Amino acid sequence: MRTPWLNKLALVLGPRPPISWLVLCLISVLALITLLGSSSSNAFEAATSTPAPDIYTNYRKLKEQAAVDYLELKSLSGGAGRVKELGLCGKERENFVPCYNVSANMLAGYKDGEEFDRHCELSRVVERCLVRPPKEYKIPLRWPSGRDVIWSGNVKITKDQFLSSGSMTKRMMLLEENQIAFHSDDGSIFDGVKDYSRQIAEMLGLGSDTELIQAGVRTVLDIGCGFGSFGSHLLSLKVMAVCVAAYEATGSQVQMALERGLPAIIGNFVSRQLPYPTLSYDMVHCAQCGIVWDDKDGIFLLEVDRLLRPGGYFVLTAPVNKAQGSSLSTKKANMVIPLEKFADELCWSLLAQQDDTFIWQKTVEANSYKSRKQAAIPLCKGHDLQSYYQPLVSCISGTSSKHWTPIQNRSSGPYLSSAELELHGVQPDDFFEDLQYWRSALKNYWSLLTPLIFSDHPKRPGDEDPLPPFNMVRNVMDMNAHFGGLNYAFLEEKKSVWLMNVVPVGAQNTLPLILEQGFAGVLHDWCEPFPTYSRTYDMLHANGLLSHLSSERCSMMDLLLEMDRILRPEGWVVLSDKMGVIELARMLATQIRWEARVIDLQNGSDQRLLVCQKPFVRK
């Protein structure tokens, strides 16, 4: 017997509500949950604050479990038409890098090197499609084999371009039928990378390059890194070396370094600053990097000075050919004298010079600039940490910064001191609570991924049998790095990966803290494409980023498409966020052909994990 209320409802809906009405109701519920998950204007701060440590119970049992919140919606909507998968882009976009369209930049009037700069406003792509790998693309070899041997079909530079490049780097490479092999002991520097590194250490007054960290050199910005062999050697010494080079149509530097599993990013400071805060690096290195340093009134040297920490080093190796009728010493003098003029203005001292290598050291005394006589280069007013592709400045930065700390005075241990943390506005308790959370989370991620990789990646013929995902994941990006806790957790677990720690523009700028810890990192606006080549990362991770973007001007689908572009085939995505946002991302992930699993942490919270794998599309 039905109540009067049910009788009235039956009059409106009929005895059997239509399926379409049920679908509409479920979609409305989904939209409401999504809006509630993103309604707070402080969603990003809440998502990036240190969460309480969670213990994922019965995690291995959850490895194949998908959330069931919207299975009924999927079942009901299946009859009305499934979500359509996005198509593949054309062959011309196999190596597509947004914001770096040189032809479009030239048509827009950019010249004198600015056409190679980043211009996202000219690269808006209306068509949504999946960037596919080249026909010859192969999964990179596992680390460390992939550092020394790469598949030639995976990089844009062709055999003919390579052989005709005239690059000295050819001396350290062997070109096989479908592989490029790097001699681990040699490099683009004259006597080999190891000899060159040892020479730099000796010029710094060290007994060996193994003492670089003790001397305060933990991070190096390698400008125009060639194919990354110098950076590879520094990484073996536990020194974080990041390659930065201008966009090239052949992708021959940054793309090659990333393919080898080495930190690299597209960057060019012809007209704009690099996306790093002031006082970021212990050493800036340039070996035949092609920059005329005394050009434009030394503005490029001013950018190097902005990036260097007090007591840091600028290493310049620039071979000088002996021309007919001129002595070698005269040629060197013609190159160095203009630089010495700017070095004096910047309060740099020429520390050493040997053969074709020169090392200048930045002053450790901020008061030194006031003692300059008739200074031609003024001091900048204020201190801007949020340097996101701002125009180059004709003044000296950072002299009044609270971060003015000589590199020789920093802690030498694995963790920053309480005083150093507080200098960055971080309470030690908050920092170590965050670190403890990521220690636990990383163990759970690995517990989840290991059986999945076992099941999804059968042993390939001829492969050795290391325990995955060790050696199968090398290039990792944390898209919302916060304090860099995930990076620390990877190091403590001794996993052979490196992380690109990305701090979103608009969030709390923790990049100075990340760089201070000796990690790789960069500022980035996730409403824009990331400055890297296609298929350059094995794993992408983000905690709370989707909630942040739900209140921004950009589309979640555009973000996922960009993630798909920079992710290697068979690569992994791990997203942690609120349930409503994760479910929306899961539906979008099916459109871009990712295999998606939603994991309920079963801890009573609204947090969910979305674990996705990009398939290897061989069309």
Side-chain angles (χ1 to χ4, degrees):
M1 181 175 180
R2 293 194 294 185
T3 65
W5 184 85
L6 289 176
N7 288 331
K8 292 180 181 179
L9 186 63
L11 288 175
V12 177
L13 301 178
R16 292 186 178 181
I19 293 297
S20 60
W21 187 87
L22 292 175
V23 173
L24 180 60
C25 288
L26 288 168
I27 291 176
S28 300
V29 171
L30 172 61
L32 181 60
I33 291 175
T34 303
L35 288 173
L36 290 175
S38 60
S39 59
S40 173
S41 61
N42 295 323
F44 183 57
E45 293 300 328
T48 57
S49 61
T50 303
D54 293 324
I55 304 300
Y56 303 174
T57 58
N58 300 322
Y59 208 76
R60 286 186 178 273
K61 294 181 181 179
L62 293 173
K63 66 181 184 298
E64 298 290 348
Q65 175 186 332
V68 295
D69 304 89
Y70 300 101
L71 287 181
E72 291 186 21
L73 173 62
K74 183 178 179 181
S75 175
L76 289 172
S77 63
R82 296 184 179 277
V83 176
K84 184 178 180 181
E85 292 181 341
L86 293 181
L88 301 177
C89 303
K91 183 177 176 61
E92 71 281 357
R93 289 178 63 182
E94 288 177 351
N95 293 285
F96 177 58
V97 181
C99 302
Y100 290 94
N101 188 327
V102 178
S103 300
N105 295 344
M106 294 178 69
L107 288 174
Y110 292 106
K111 58 183 179 179
D112 297 329
E114 291 188 41
E115 65 271 22
F116 297 101
D117 264 340
R118 174 184 175 88
H119 299 286
C120 292
E121 69 280 3
L122 302 177
S123 302
R124 299 297 181 191
V125 179
V126 178
E127 179 189 9
R128 286 177 170 172
C129 57
L130 304 176
V131 175
R132 60 182 177 182
K135 182 179 179 180
E136 300 79 14
Y137 185 87
K138 295 184 179 182
I139 299 298
L141 300 175
R142 293 170 177 167
W143 182 269
S145 300
R147 175 191 58 199
D148 300 325
V149 178
I150 66 174
W151 302 109
S152 56
N154 289 11
V155 291
K156 194 175 180 183
I157 187 170
T158 65
K159 183 184 298 187
D160 291 340
Q161 288 171 330
F162 172 74
L163 292 175
S164 63
S165 66
S167 170
M168 293 185 62
T169 313
K170 288 190 301 184
R171 301 177 184 176
M172 60 107 177
M173 301 169 68
L174 295 174
L175 201 61
E176 303 291 346
E177 192 169 312
N178 61 351
Q179 293 181 338
I180 300 176
F182 297 79
H183 295 304
S184 58
D185 291 335
D186 296 326
S188 59
I189 314 301
F190 307 104
D191 296 323
V193 165
K194 289 185 178 179
D195 289 340
Y196 177 68
S197 178
R198 184 167 53 250
Q199 174 188 337
I200 290 176
E202 291 173 352
M203 293 172 69
L204 295 178
L206 307 176
S208 168
D209 54 6
T210 59
E211 300 176 10
L212 283 171
I213 292 182
Q214 289 85 340
V217 179
R218 294 187 294 185
T219 57
V220 175
L221 188 67
D222 193 6
I223 300 176
C225 61
F227 297 146
S229 290
F230 180 57
S232 175
H233 177 67
L234 291 179
L235 285 175
S236 70
L237 302 174
K238 310 300 182 186
V239 174
M240 173 54 69
V242 178
C243 165
V244 59
Y247 168 77
E248 298 169 279
T250 56
S252 58
Q253 292 193 66
V254 170
Q255 186 187 36
M256 190 78 76
L258 286 164
E259 189 65 24
R260 299 182 63 191
L262 306 173
I265 189 170
I266 300 175
N268 188 15
F269 51 90
V270 169
S271 62
R272 302 182 186 182
Q273 297 176 349
L274 293 174
Y276 301 113
T278 301
L279 312 180
S280 291
Y281 283 92
D282 306 323
M283 178 182 288
V284 175
H285 173 261
C286 160
Q288 307 175 59
C289 61
I291 296 176
V292 182
W293 290 106
D294 57 339
D295 199 9
K296 297 185 178 181
D297 296 324
I299 199 166
F300 304 141
L301 287 173
L302 281 167
E303 174 66 358
V304 170
D305 181 79
R306 185 185 74 83
L307 296 172
L308 274 178
R309 292 192 175 102
Y313 306 99
F314 176 50
V315 180
L316 174 63
T317 297
V320 181
N321 296 322
K322 182 178 179 180
Q324 185 175 3
S326 299
S327 67
L328 187 59
S329 59
T330 301
K331 289 295 180 182
K332 286 184 179 179
N334 291 338
M335 179 189 72
V336 175
I337 289 175
L339 295 186
E340 287 183 339
K341 169 189 171 184
F342 291 112
D344 289 340
E345 281 288 320
L346 296 171
C347 294
W348 292 1
S349 57
L350 182 60
L351 192 65
Q353 182 250 316
Q354 184 175 332
D355 299 328
D356 299 305
T357 299
F358 304 81
I359 299 181
W360 284 271
Q361 184 176 25
K362 181 173 179 174
T363 182
V364 298
E365 300 291 342
N367 293 329
S368 299
Y369 301 95
K370 297 180 181 179
S371 61
R372 296 175 301 161
K373 297 180 180 179
Q374 298 179 343
I377 304 177
L379 301 181
C380 298
K381 296 181 180 179
H383 179 62
D384 182 17
L385 287 175
Q386 194 90 354
S387 299
Y388 186 68
Y389 297 109
Q390 296 297 314
L392 292 174
V393 294
S394 299
C395 55
I396 300 173
S397 306
T399 58
S400 60
S401 170
K402 64 179 181 179
H403 298 285
W404 185 279
T405 304
I407 62 174
Q408 296 82 1
N409 295 353
R410 294 180 308 189
S411 300
S412 58
Y415 303 106
L416 299 182
S417 67
S418 296
E420 289 170 327
L421 289 172
E422 291 174 355
L423 188 64
H424 289 277
V426 177
Q427 294 299 315
D429 289 345
D430 294 339
F431 179 83
F432 287 105
E433 182 182 350
D434 180 80
L435 177 56
Q436 183 60 39
Y437 171 83
W438 288 113
R439 286 167 175 162
S440 173
L442 180 61
K443 286 182 171 64
N444 293 321
Y445 291 166
W446 234 244
S447 178
L448 173 68
L449 289 175
T450 298
L452 294 183
I453 292 179
F454 265 129
S455 61
D456 296 349
H457 291 263
K459 181 181 175 183
R460 298 187 181 91
D463 277 0
E464 297 179 0
D465 198 17
L467 289 177
F470 300 99
N471 302 344
M472 299 192 72
V473 174
R474 172 62 183 173
N475 298 353
V476 180
M477 179 186 291
D478 193 351
M479 301 170 66
N480 186 17
H482 197 37
F483 294 156
L486 181 61
N487 200 148
Y488 247 132
F490 267 110
L491 288 178
E492 290 184 336
E493 288 293 314
K494 298 186 180 345
K495 300 195 186 300
S496 55
V497 306
W498 69 271
L499 267 74
M500 179 62 76
N501 295 277
V502 181
V503 175
V505 171
Q508 177 188 0
N509 188 5
T510 55
L511 185 57
L513 172 63
I514 288 171
L515 296 174
E516 183 74 17
Q517 296 173 79
F519 301 157
V522 68
L523 284 172
H524 183 63
D525 182 350
W526 280 116
C527 294
E528 300 176 351
F530 191 78
T532 189
Y533 293 87
S534 298
R535 300 171 298 277
T536 46
Y537 284 87
D538 301 304
M539 179 185 289
L540 305 176
H541 171 270
N543 178 44
L545 180 65
L546 300 183
S547 291
H548 168 52
L549 293 181
S550 66
S551 60
E552 293 291 322
R553 67 187 186 277
C554 43
S555 158
M556 186 185 296
M557 174 57 89
D558 290 337
L559 173 67
L560 296 182
L561 281 172
E562 174 63 6
M563 293 168 64
D564 184 80
R565 181 186 73 86
I566 67 179
L567 192 64
R568 286 171 171 167
E570 299 186 358
W572 295 89
V573 174
V574 179
L575 302 175
S576 175
D577 221 302
K578 297 179 180 178
M579 180 177 66
V581 181
I582 286 293
E583 287 296 345
L584 176 59
R586 181 192 180 197
M587 289 194 296
L588 296 177
T590 62
Q591 289 188 261
I592 56 179
R593 311 187 187 193
W594 290 355
E595 298 176 11
R597 298 171 174 87
V598 177
I599 307 299
D600 185 347
L601 307 182
Q602 293 190 341
N603 58 1
S605 74
D606 190 36
Q607 289 292 115
R608 296 291 186 271
L609 279 182
L610 179 62
V611 180
C612 305
Q613 186 183 25
K614 175 180 176 178
F616 194 161
V617 180
R618 297 180 180 272
K619 288 186 179 181

